[in-house]
Amino acid sequence: MSSQLFSHFGKKDQQLADLTAAAQAILTLDRAFKRLLPGRLAEQCQVACVRAGELVVFAHNSTVAARLRLLGNSVVAPLARQGYPLATLRVKVLPTPPRKPRQKSFALSDAGIDAFARAADEVRNPVVKDALKRLLRHHKG
């Protein structure tokens, strides 16, 4: 099978060409939208789609969503002036998948555990003593 550029496939299949054009339009709108946002807010959201004059944006968390909602018309109006058929902004929070618990990749040897136990018995500082005891409970557990 010969390797062809993705754009060549789009020319052969009309549905794929339509999908590619729609994706490019959303990416272009996303770039234009993010240029209007203050600070690092642009890194925390993305344009999802446009439905009946409504710009739908996904926010990475509820704080970002609240800031975007406050901006509302101040980002929609400039985009409308640029030729995008927009009237309102809808912000949705993307559910983030739960993080997988990290697997322990470090284990203390029995000699190491004994050394920390002796150190915990001899240390006078209560903060350090508690920290060493927590470390021991974690590695013995």
Side-chain angles (χ1 to χ4, degrees):
M1 181 173 176
S2 65
S3 63
Q4 296 178 344
L5 293 174
F6 185 73
S7 59
H8 294 297
F9 286 111
K11 292 175 184 174
K12 292 181 179 182
D13 182 2
Q14 188 57 46
Q15 286 180 328
L16 186 56
D18 294 344
L19 180 63
T20 303
Q24 287 296 337
I26 292 293
L27 289 173
T28 302
L29 176 57
D30 185 62
R31 284 191 293 274
F33 173 74
K34 288 179 177 181
R35 279 193 295 270
L36 298 171
L37 299 178
R40 300 184 65 186
L41 192 59
E43 298 169 8
Q44 302 295 319
C45 62
Q46 65 190 48
V47 169
C49 65
V50 175
R51 288 187 195 144
E54 181 177 64
L55 176 62
V56 180
V57 176
F58 289 147
H60 291 186
N61 59 54
S62 59
T63 305
V64 172
R67 282 203 64 200
L68 289 172
R69 287 183 186 112
L70 286 174
L71 290 173
N73 196 40
S74 66
V75 292
V76 171
L79 291 171
R81 285 192 298 273
Q82 292 176 27
Y84 293 101
L86 302 173
T88 60
L89 174 68
R90 173 176 287 184
V91 181
K92 296 182 177 186
V93 178
L94 277 178
T96 54
R99 292 185 179 186
K100 294 180 181 175
R102 289 178 42 190
Q103 295 296 322
K104 207 164 45 164
S105 61
F106 176 78
L108 289 176
S109 66
D110 290 337
I113 290 174
D114 290 340
F116 277 113
R118 283 193 309 276
D121 290 338
E122 295 174 9
V123 169
R124 291 183 187 169
N125 185 320
V127 174
V128 175
K129 185 180 281 275
D130 287 343
L132 287 171
K133 287 181 180 180
R134 277 194 316 272
L135 174 78
L136 288 167
R137 280 193 304 271
H138 178 76
H139 281 280
K140 285 181 181 177

